[in-house]
Amino acid sequence: MGETVGEEDMTHIQYMVKDFACGTFAGIFQTLSGHPFDSLKVRMQTSKVRISLTQCVKGIVKNEGLISFYRGLTPPLCTIPIVNAIVMSSYELCKRILGVESEDDFTFQQSLYAGMFAGFVNSFVISPVELVKCRLQVQTDSMKRAYYKGPIDCCMKVVREEGLSVLMTSGLISTILRETFCYAGQFGGYFLFKRALAQFHGCSLDELGHSSYFLSGGVGGLCCWLTSYPQDIVKTKLQTQKVGQIKYPRHPTIPDEGIISCVKEIWVKEGTYGFWKGFTPCAIRAFWANGFMFSAYEFACYEYDKFFKGTKE
């Protein structure tokens, strides 16, 4: 992914610049296209009663208006493009560490390793962003009455009332468990489906069109969440609880940040459904947003390489 003719002339610095720039470009498309579905997912995950996707949409539109679907957009819009750049850069870096020189030499197993590495690196960046985003998304009051007035206000209040460590590390372990599996699934699914489409059309990977990249990215997005959605449920619940209102106590001997007690409560109260509620909007978002993200990334890589070759010539 993201490699074209002429890259043998690039230095390691140029590789990093390319991966970061193209990843940022793709992250903007991913955030704008997927945030409304992410808001629905978080609302359904934290709802105290069982609600359908249709009920959730109608409730938000009726009580809060369409703009509420983009509540909490600022933190991910300011950070997800950079986060995506870090993911893509880490993924491509791991490929080079594994000795991958071209797409033809790249294997499915290597795509899983590179995806897990990218997810692990990303966990330390995305965890505080997720905390702020989730806290803003679960607010149902109008902006005037809401406790958190925006992302900056949320950060300041969390640090002042709960401590900097809460902002930086709350839900970190569950985030690592989510990110490593989700990016292994995402890049692995993208790898397999893209090659299947190339075989179906009887062409090389470089000859695939934008629609093929969109479909492959969509499948990768679905695989991403199929391998990590229960972890995301737990992460959301842990990050939306406040210090002084801890609902999920830590294990007395295992540093689990409350994961075990959270899993137990979900299983006892809701059963299997509790680990998958809100999955419908998440699946729609995953296919839609990741389709745009991978299409944008491949397009950016192609244009970057074309510009690079032009300057060399």
Side-chain angles (χ1 to χ4, degrees):
M1 182 181 71
E3 295 188 7
T4 59
V5 178
E7 290 204 348
E8 63 274 5
D9 299 323
M10 294 175 67
T11 65
H12 288 296
I13 297 298
Q14 287 173 320
Y15 267 121
M16 293 176 63
V17 171
K18 172 191 172 181
D19 297 334
F20 201 87
C22 296
T24 301
F25 179 78
I28 294 172
F29 278 81
Q30 181 186 30
T31 305
L32 292 176
S33 62
H35 191 78
F37 299 104
D38 188 64
S39 293
L40 288 168
K41 179 202 73 173
V42 172
R43 288 291 184 90
M44 292 178 72
Q45 284 180 340
T46 55
S47 174
K48 296 180 180 179
V49 296
R50 186 167 181 167
I51 58 174
S52 67
L53 174 60
T54 303
Q55 290 173 322
C56 188
V57 171
K58 287 181 177 179
I60 292 176
V61 172
K62 180 180 178 181
N63 300 320
E64 304 168 57
L66 293 174
I67 194 65
S68 292
F69 287 106
Y70 277 95
R71 180 173 287 176
L73 173 65
T74 303
L77 187 59
C78 293
T79 55
I80 294 301
I82 298 175
V83 166
N84 198 65
I86 293 172
V87 168
M88 291 300 186
S89 300
S90 301
Y91 180 76
E92 296 292 347
L93 172 63
C94 189
K95 285 170 63 176
R96 292 192 284 275
I97 292 174
L98 292 172
V100 178
E101 297 182 358
S102 69
E103 284 291 289
D104 294 331
D105 299 327
F106 197 33
T107 67
F108 174 64
Q109 188 176 29
Q110 288 174 326
S111 74
L112 296 180
Y113 292 152
M116 293 182 73
F117 176 77
F120 179 77
V121 172
N122 184 50
S123 299
F124 297 91
V125 180
I126 198 64
S127 184
V129 176
E130 286 280 305
L131 184 142
V132 174
K133 177 182 71 69
C134 289
R135 296 246 180 138
L136 290 172
Q137 285 176 320
V138 297
Q139 293 187 135
T140 58
D141 293 329
S142 64
M143 189 57 66
K144 290 183 179 180
R145 298 175 57 190
Y147 184 67
Y148 300 121
K149 305 304 180 183
I152 296 177
D153 182 59
C154 182
C155 287
M156 293 177 64
K157 285 180 176 175
V158 169
V159 172
R160 183 172 64 248
E161 299 169 4
E162 304 174 57
L164 179 62
S165 62
V166 171
L167 177 66
M168 301 305 298
T169 64
S170 178
L172 177 60
I173 297 176
S174 54
T175 300
I176 292 174
L177 291 174
R178 185 192 73 171
E179 294 292 283
T180 52
F181 283 97
C182 86
Y183 282 112
Q186 174 178 290
F187 287 111
Y190 183 72
F191 175 95
L192 290 178
F193 201 77
K194 186 170 69 169
R195 275 162 175 71
L197 286 178
Q199 291 180 353
F200 177 78
H201 292 294
C203 65
S204 67
L205 294 173
D206 292 336
E207 295 173 324
L208 289 173
H210 292 300
S211 61
S212 295
Y213 290 133
F214 182 88
L215 289 173
S216 300
V219 170
L222 288 175
C223 293
C224 160
W225 286 105
L226 284 171
T227 55
S228 64
Y229 196 77
Q231 299 96 295
D232 186 64
I233 289 275
V234 174
K235 179 201 70 67
T236 298
K237 288 182 176 291
L238 292 177
Q239 290 188 320
T240 52
Q241 63 177 355
K242 301 178 182 179
V243 171
Q245 302 174 10
I246 299 298
K247 188 177 180 181
Y248 308 107
R250 297 171 182 241
H251 193 276
T253 57
I254 302 174
D256 70 331
E257 71 181 10
I259 293 175
I260 295 176
S261 60
C262 183
V263 169
K264 284 182 177 179
E265 184 187 84
I266 294 172
W267 178 255
V268 171
K269 291 187 175 181
E270 303 176 84
T272 304
Y273 165 77
F275 294 101
W276 293 97
K277 65 179 182 179
F279 182 72
T280 301
C282 179
I284 297 172
R285 170 189 176 272
F287 190 94
W288 181 255
N290 281 277
F292 274 108
M293 187 271 288
F294 275 103
S295 297
Y297 183 74
E298 297 287 1
F299 171 78
C301 286
Y302 173 79
E303 292 297 325
Y304 187 99
D305 288 328
K306 188 168 69 172
F307 175 80
F308 175 75
K309 288 177 65 179
T311 56
K312 291 286 288 185
E313 294 171 358

